[in-house]
Amino acid sequence: GEELSSGEAQKLLLDMKQEDGYLKHTPNEELLAKIMRAFMVSSFVVERAKELGVAPQEVPAVTQRLREKIRNNSKGRDQLVNHLKMAMQTGGEAAAIEQVLWPLFVQVAYNDFPQFSEAMNEATHLNQLADMRQPGSWYPKARSMRRKLIFHMGPTNSGKTFQALRRYRDAQSGVYAA
């Protein structure tokens, strides 16, 4: 079949759009194939797929499976068209291709390709580990421990270090941090 760039697929969607922003008709099989081909070669998809452990040469297989699922499910095809309509109205044609098809691609990769689900679970786990938004939830065991912290403050040469080391020596347990 004829190859289609991401920009050409966006133009196809734009050509389908009426003045009120709605799609004129449901994409037929050929149009869906062109949109899917453009989707799978877009830099957005290739880069994000790599982050999830899906190599660029494996993107076509996942995209093909997604296309089959859409083609074999008329309700899914209708829902896809509705989502394309909404995305085009709010974010334009690029959003229609990437925001609508990308989550479906991830779902198919995760559910139908076990080798990717492990990598995606790993990526999700790493993202959770790198999430710095809620420090209060870090180290729950350490936070539940009853501790006493002593902070020595004062001007230079006032004996802070001497006093801190003496308290540390006399304590039954503890940690000295300079």
Side-chain angles (χ1 to χ4, degrees):
E2 122 193 26
E3 289 302 311
L4 192 69
S5 73
S6 183
E8 289 171 321
Q10 291 175 23
K11 184 180 180 321
L12 276 170
L13 286 172
L14 186 60
D15 290 345
M16 291 172 55
K17 201 163 63 165
Q18 300 181 132
E19 288 182 25
D20 63 0
Y22 287 95
L23 294 179
K24 294 176 189 172
H25 53 80
T26 302
N28 61 23
E29 179 60 32
E30 181 182 335
L31 181 59
L32 181 61
K34 288 179 179 182
I35 291 171
M36 297 302 276
R37 281 195 301 272
F39 171 81
M40 75 180 171
V41 298
S42 77
S43 59
F44 170 87
V45 172
V46 172
E47 291 304 312
R48 299 235 2 230
K50 270 196 262 184
E51 293 170 11
L52 293 176
V54 180
Q57 64 270 20
E58 296 165 324
V59 169
V62 178
T63 304
Q64 179 61 30
R65 180 77 56 89
L66 171 59
R67 183 175 161 208
E68 289 167 9
K69 285 184 176 246
I70 292 169
R71 186 177 52 220
N72 296 333
N73 181 343
S74 61
K75 182 179 177 187
R77 201 169 40 249
D78 294 342
Q79 288 176 342
L80 176 65
V81 171
N82 289 333
H83 289 300
L84 285 170
K85 288 177 187 178
M86 289 188 301
M88 286 173 62
Q89 289 171 346
T90 59
E93 289 72 31
I97 291 175
E98 294 169 355
Q99 293 175 8
V100 174
L101 293 176
W102 174 251
L104 298 173
F105 176 92
V106 172
Q107 184 178 4
V108 167
Y110 187 82
N111 292 332
D112 294 7
F113 294 84
Q115 69 271 28
F116 303 140
S117 62
E118 279 185 39
M120 288 181 208
N121 285 337
E122 174 92 12
T124 300
H125 178 67
L126 291 174
N127 283 338
Q128 290 170 344
L129 288 176
D131 186 356
M132 305 299 269
R133 293 177 292 178
Q134 297 185 5
S137 66
W138 303 345
Y139 310 107
K141 186 175 179 181
R143 289 183 173 279
S144 68
M145 295 170 58
R146 190 153 165 77
R147 296 174 286 177
K148 181 178 182 180
L149 302 175
I150 301 171
F151 178 70
H152 292 268
M153 184 176 105
T156 305
N157 292 326
S158 63
K160 298 180 298 287
T161 303
F162 177 79
Q163 291 297 324
L165 289 172
R166 182 180 281 170
R167 298 273 314 252
Y168 178 60
R169 181 194 67 198
D170 295 341
Q172 290 179 352
S173 66
V175 175
Y176 173 80

Coordinates of all heavy atoms in Angstrom, one line a residue, residues 99-150:
Q99 N -3.2 11.3 20.6 CA -3.9 11.1 21.8 C -4.9 10.0 21.8 O -5.2 9.4 22.8 CB -4.5 12.4 22.3 CG -3.4 13.5 22.6 CD -4.1 14.8 22.9 OE1 -5.3 14.9 23.1 NE2 -3.2 15.8 23.1
V100 N -5.5 9.8 20.7 CA -6.6 8.8 20.6 C -6.0 7.4 20.4 O -6.3 6.4 21.0 CB -7.6 9.1 19.5 CG1 -8.6 8.0 19.3 CG2 -8.3 10.4 19.9
L101 N -5.1 7.3 19.4 CA -4.6 6.0 19.0 C -3.5 5.5 20.0 O -3.3 4.3 20.2 CB -4.0 6.0 17.6 CG -5.1 6.2 16.5 CD1 -4.4 6.3 15.2 CD2 -6.1 5.1 16.6
W102 N -2.7 6.4 20.6 CA -1.6 6.0 21.5 C -2.1 5.2 22.7 O -1.5 4.1 22.9 CB -0.8 7.2 21.9 CG 0.3 6.8 22.9 CD1 0.3 7.1 24.2 CD2 1.4 6.0 22.7 NE1 1.4 6.6 24.9 CE2 2.1 5.9 23.9 CE3 1.9 5.4 21.6 CZ2 3.2 5.1 24.1 CZ3 3.1 4.6 21.7 CH2 3.7 4.5 22.9
P103 N -3.1 5.6 23.4 CA -3.5 4.8 24.6 C -4.0 3.4 24.1 O -3.8 2.4 24.8 CB -4.7 5.6 25.2 CG -4.4 7.0 24.8 CD -3.8 6.9 23.4
L104 N -4.6 3.3 22.9 CA -5.1 2.1 22.4 C -3.9 1.2 22.1 O -3.9 0.0 22.3 CB -6.0 2.3 21.2 CG -7.3 3.0 21.4 CD1 -8.0 3.3 20.1 CD2 -8.2 2.3 22.4
F105 N -2.9 1.8 21.5 CA -1.6 1.1 21.1 C -1.0 0.5 22.4 O -0.6 -0.7 22.4 CB -0.7 2.1 20.5 CG 0.7 1.5 20.2 CD1 0.9 0.9 18.9 CD2 1.7 1.6 21.1 CE1 2.2 0.4 18.6 CE2 3.0 1.1 20.8 CZ 3.2 0.5 19.6
V106 N -0.9 1.3 23.5 CA -0.3 0.8 24.7 C -1.1 -0.3 25.3 O -0.6 -1.3 25.7 CB -0.2 2.0 25.7 CG1 0.2 1.5 27.1 CG2 0.8 3.0 25.2
Q107 N -2.4 -0.2 25.2 CA -3.3 -1.3 25.8 C -3.1 -2.6 25.0 O -3.0 -3.7 25.6 CB -4.8 -0.8 25.7 CG -5.7 -1.8 26.3 CD -7.2 -1.3 26.2 OE1 -7.5 -0.3 25.6 NE2 -8.1 -2.1 26.8
V108 N -3.0 -2.5 23.7 CA -2.8 -3.7 22.8 C -1.4 -4.3 23.1 O -1.3 -5.5 23.3 CB -3.0 -3.4 21.3 CG1 -2.5 -4.5 20.5 CG2 -4.5 -3.1 21.0
A109 N -0.4 -3.4 23.2 CA 0.9 -3.9 23.5 C 1.0 -4.6 24.8 O 1.6 -5.7 25.0 CB 1.9 -2.8 23.5
Y110 N 0.3 -4.1 25.8 CA 0.3 -4.6 27.2 C -0.4 -5.9 27.2 O 0.0 -6.9 27.8 CB -0.2 -3.6 28.1 CG -0.1 -4.0 29.6 CD1 1.1 -3.8 30.3 CD2 -1.2 -4.6 30.3 CE1 1.2 -4.2 31.6 CE2 -1.0 -5.0 31.6 CZ 0.1 -4.8 32.3 OH 0.3 -5.1 33.6
N111 N -1.6 -6.0 26.6 CA -2.5 -7.1 26.8 C -2.1 -8.3 25.8 O -2.3 -9.4 26.2 CB -4.0 -6.7 26.5 CG -4.5 -5.9 27.6 OD1 -4.1 -5.9 28.8 ND2 -5.5 -5.0 27.3
D112 N -1.7 -7.9 24.6 CA -1.5 -9.0 23.6 C 0.0 -9.4 23.4 O 0.2 -10.3 22.6 CB -2.1 -8.5 22.3 CG -3.6 -8.3 22.3 OD1 -4.2 -8.5 23.4 OD2 -4.2 -8.1 21.2
F113 N 0.9 -8.7 23.9 CA 2.3 -9.0 23.7 C 3.0 -9.1 25.1 O 3.4 -8.1 25.7 CB 3.0 -7.9 22.9 CG 2.5 -7.8 21.5 CD1 1.3 -7.1 21.2 CD2 3.2 -8.5 20.5 CE1 0.9 -7.0 19.9 CE2 2.7 -8.4 19.1 CZ 1.5 -7.7 18.9
P114 N 3.0 -10.3 25.7 CA 3.6 -10.4 27.0 C 5.0 -9.9 27.2 O 5.3 -9.4 28.3 CB 3.6 -12.0 27.3 CG 2.7 -12.5 26.2 CD 2.6 -11.5 25.1
Q115 N 5.8 -9.9 26.2 CA 7.2 -9.5 26.3 C 7.2 -8.0 26.6 O 8.1 -7.4 27.2 CB 8.0 -9.8 25.1 CG 7.6 -9.1 23.8 CD 6.6 -9.8 22.9 OE1 5.7 -10.5 23.5 NE2 6.6 -9.5 21.6
F116 N 6.2 -7.2 26.1 CA 6.1 -5.8 26.4 C 5.5 -5.5 27.7 O 5.9 -4.5 28.3 CB 5.4 -5.1 25.3 CG 5.9 -5.3 23.9 CD1 5.1 -5.5 22.8 CD2 7.3 -5.4 23.7 CE1 5.6 -5.7 21.5 CE2 7.8 -5.6 22.4 CZ 6.9 -5.8 21.3
S117 N 4.6 -6.3 28.2 CA 4.0 -6.0 29.5 C 5.0 -6.0 30.6 O 4.9 -5.2 31.5 CB 2.8 -7.0 29.7 OG 3.3 -8.3 29.9
E118 N 6.0 -6.9 30.5 CA 7.0 -6.9 31.6 C 7.8 -5.6 31.5 O 8.1 -5.0 32.6 CB 8.0 -8.1 31.3 CG 7.5 -9.4 31.9 CD 8.6 -10.5 31.7 OE1 9.8 -10.2 31.9 OE2 8.2 -11.6 31.4
A119 N 8.2 -5.2 30.3 CA 8.9 -3.9 30.2 C 8.1 -2.7 30.6 O 8.6 -1.8 31.3 CB 9.4 -3.7 28.8
M120 N 6.8 -2.8 30.3 CA 5.9 -1.7 30.7 C 5.7 -1.6 32.3 O 5.7 -0.6 32.9 CB 4.6 -1.8 30.0 CG 4.6 -1.4 28.6 SD 3.0 -1.5 27.8 CE 3.4 -1.9 26.2
N121 N 5.6 -2.8 32.9 CA 5.5 -2.9 34.3 C 6.8 -2.3 34.9 O 6.7 -1.6 35.9 CB 5.3 -4.3 34.8 CG 3.9 -4.8 34.6 OD1 3.0 -4.0 34.4 ND2 3.7 -6.1 34.5
E122 N 7.9 -2.6 34.4 CA 9.2 -2.1 34.8 C 9.3 -0.6 34.7 O 9.7 0.1 35.6 CB 10.4 -2.7 34.0 CG 11.7 -2.2 34.4 CD 12.4 -2.9 35.4 OE1 12.0 -4.0 35.8 OE2 13.4 -2.4 35.9
A123 N 8.8 -0.1 33.5 CA 8.8 1.4 33.3 C 7.9 2.1 34.3 O 8.2 3.1 34.8 CB 8.4 1.7 31.9
T124 N 6.7 1.5 34.5 CA 5.8 2.0 35.5 C 6.4 2.1 36.9 O 6.3 3.0 37.6 CB 4.5 1.2 35.5 OG1 3.9 1.2 34.2 CG2 3.5 1.8 36.5
H125 N 7.1 1.0 37.3 CA 7.7 0.9 38.6 C 8.8 2.0 38.7 O 8.9 2.6 39.7 CB 8.3 -0.5 38.8 CG 9.0 -0.7 40.1 ND1 8.4 -0.6 41.3 CD2 10.3 -0.9 40.3 CE1 9.2 -0.8 42.2 NE2 10.4 -0.9 41.7
L126 N 9.6 2.1 37.6 CA 10.6 3.1 37.7 C 10.1 4.5 37.8 O 10.6 5.4 38.5 CB 11.5 3.0 36.4 CG 12.4 1.8 36.4 CD1 13.2 1.7 35.1 CD2 13.4 1.8 37.5
N127 N 9.0 4.8 37.1 CA 8.3 6.1 37.2 C 7.8 6.3 38.6 O 7.9 7.4 39.1 CB 7.1 6.2 36.2 CG 7.6 6.4 34.8 OD1 8.7 6.9 34.5 ND2 6.8 6.1 33.8
Q128 N 7.2 5.3 39.2 CA 6.8 5.4 40.6 C 7.9 5.7 41.5 O 7.8 6.5 42.4 CB 6.0 4.2 41.0 CG 4.7 4.0 40.3 CD 4.0 2.7 40.6 OE1 4.7 1.7 41.0 NE2 2.7 2.6 40.3
L129 N 9.1 5.1 41.3 CA 10.2 5.3 42.2 C 10.8 6.7 42.0 O 11.3 7.3 42.9 CB 11.3 4.3 41.8 CG 11.1 2.9 42.3 CD1 12.3 2.0 41.8 CD2 11.0 2.8 43.8
A130 N 10.7 7.2 40.8 CA 11.2 8.6 40.5 C 10.2 9.7 40.8 O 10.5 10.9 40.7 CB 11.6 8.7 39.0
D131 N 9.0 9.3 41.3 CA 8.0 10.3 41.6 C 8.3 11.0 42.9 O 8.4 10.5 43.9 CB 6.6 9.6 41.7 CG 5.5 10.6 41.9 OD1 5.7 11.8 42.0 OD2 4.3 10.1 42.0
M132 N 8.6 12.3 42.8 CA 9.1 13.1 43.9 C 8.0 14.0 44.4 O 8.2 15.0 45.2 CB 10.3 14.0 43.5 CG 11.4 13.2 42.9 SD 12.1 12.0 44.0 CE 13.3 13.0 44.8
R133 N 6.7 13.7 44.1 CA 5.6 14.6 44.5 C 5.2 14.5 45.9 O 4.6 15.5 46.5 CB 4.5 14.5 43.5 CG 4.8 14.9 42.1 CD 3.6 14.7 41.2 NE 3.5 13.2 41.1 CZ 2.6 12.6 40.4 NH1 1.7 13.3 39.7 NH2 2.5 11.3 40.3
Q134 N 5.3 13.3 46.6 CA 4.8 13.2 47.9 C 5.9 12.6 48.8 O 5.9 11.4 49.2 CB 3.6 12.2 47.9 CG 2.5 12.8 47.1 CD 1.2 12.0 47.1 OE1 1.2 11.0 47.8 NE2 0.2 12.4 46.4
P135 N 6.8 13.4 49.3 CA 7.9 12.9 50.1 C 7.4 12.4 51.5 O 8.0 11.6 52.1 CB 8.8 14.2 50.3 CG 8.0 15.3 50.0 CD 6.9 14.8 49.0
G136 N 6.2 12.8 51.9 CA 5.6 12.3 53.2 C 5.3 10.9 53.1 O 5.2 10.2 54.2
S137 N 5.2 10.3 51.9 CA 4.9 8.8 51.8 C 6.1 8.0 51.7 O 6.1 6.8 51.7 CB 4.0 8.6 50.7 OG 4.7 8.9 49.5
W138 N 7.3 8.6 51.7 CA 8.6 7.9 51.5 C 8.9 7.3 52.9 O 8.7 7.8 53.9 CB 9.7 8.8 51.1 CG 9.5 9.5 49.8 CD1 8.5 9.2 48.8 CD2 10.2 10.6 49.3 NE1 8.6 10.1 47.8 CE2 9.6 10.9 48.0 CE3 11.3 11.3 49.8 CZ2 10.1 12.0 47.3 CZ3 11.7 12.4 49.0 CH2 11.2 12.7 47.8
Y139 N 9.6 6.1 52.9 CA 10.1 5.5 54.1 C 9.1 5.4 55.2 O 9.3 5.9 56.3 CB 11.4 6.2 54.6 CG 12.4 6.5 53.5 CD1 12.6 7.8 52.9 CD2 13.1 5.4 52.9 CE1 13.5 8.0 51.9 CE2 14.0 5.7 51.9 CZ 14.2 6.9 51.4 OH 15.1 7.2 50.4
P140 N 8.0 4.7 55.0 CA 7.0 4.6 56.0 C 7.5 4.0 57.4 O 7.1 4.4 58.4 CB 5.9 3.8 55.4 CG 6.5 3.1 54.2 CD 7.6 4.0 53.8
K141 N 8.4 3.0 57.2 CA 8.9 2.4 58.5 C 9.7 3.4 59.3 O 9.6 3.5 60.5 CB 9.7 1.1 58.1 CG 10.2 0.4 59.3 CD 10.9 -0.9 58.9 CE 11.3 -1.7 60.2 NZ 12.0 -2.9 59.8
A142 N 10.6 4.1 58.6 CA 11.4 5.1 59.3 C 10.6 6.2 59.9 O 10.8 6.7 61.0 CB 12.5 5.7 58.4
R143 N 9.5 6.6 59.2 CA 8.6 7.7 59.7 C 7.8 7.2 60.9 O 7.4 8.0 61.7 CB 7.7 8.2 58.6 CG 8.5 9.0 57.5 CD 7.5 9.5 56.5 NE 8.3 10.4 55.6 CZ 8.5 11.6 55.8 NH1 8.2 12.2 57.0 NH2 9.2 12.4 55.0
S144 N 7.6 5.9 61.0 CA 6.8 5.4 62.1 C 7.6 5.2 63.4 O 7.1 5.1 64.5 CB 6.1 4.1 61.8 OG 7.1 3.1 61.6
M145 N 8.9 5.3 63.2 CA 9.8 5.1 64.4 C 9.8 6.3 65.3 O 9.8 7.5 64.8 CB 11.3 4.8 63.9 CG 11.4 3.5 63.2 SD 13.0 3.3 62.4 CE 14.2 3.5 63.8
R146 N 9.9 6.1 66.6 CA 10.0 7.2 67.5 C 11.5 7.6 67.6 O 12.3 6.8 68.0 CB 9.4 6.8 68.8 CG 9.3 7.9 69.8 CD 8.2 7.6 70.8 NE 8.3 8.5 71.9 CZ 7.8 9.7 71.9 NH1 7.3 10.2 70.8 NH2 7.9 10.5 73.0
R147 N 11.8 8.9 67.2 CA 13.2 9.3 67.2 C 13.3 10.6 67.9 O 12.4 11.4 68.0 CB 13.7 9.4 65.8 CG 13.7 8.1 65.1 CD 14.1 8.3 63.6 NE 12.9 8.9 62.9 CZ 12.9 9.2 61.7 NH1 13.9 9.1 61.0 NH2 11.8 9.7 61.2
K148 N 14.5 10.9 68.3 CA 14.8 12.2 68.9 C 16.0 12.8 68.1 O 17.0 12.2 68.0 CB 15.2 12.1 70.4 CG 15.6 13.4 71.1 CD 15.9 13.1 72.5 CE 16.2 14.4 73.3 NZ 16.5 14.2 74.7
L149 N 15.8 14.0 67.6 CA 16.8 14.7 66.8 C 17.3 15.9 67.6 O 16.5 16.6 68.2 CB 16.3 15.1 65.5 CG 15.7 14.1 64.6 CD1 15.1 14.7 63.3 CD2 16.7 13.1 64.2
I150 N 18.6 16.1 67.6 CA 19.2 17.2 68.3 C 20.0 18.0 67.3 O 20.9 17.4 66.6 CB 20.1 16.7 69.5 CG1 19.3 15.9 70.5 CG2 20.8 17.9 70.1 CD1 20.1 15.2 71.5

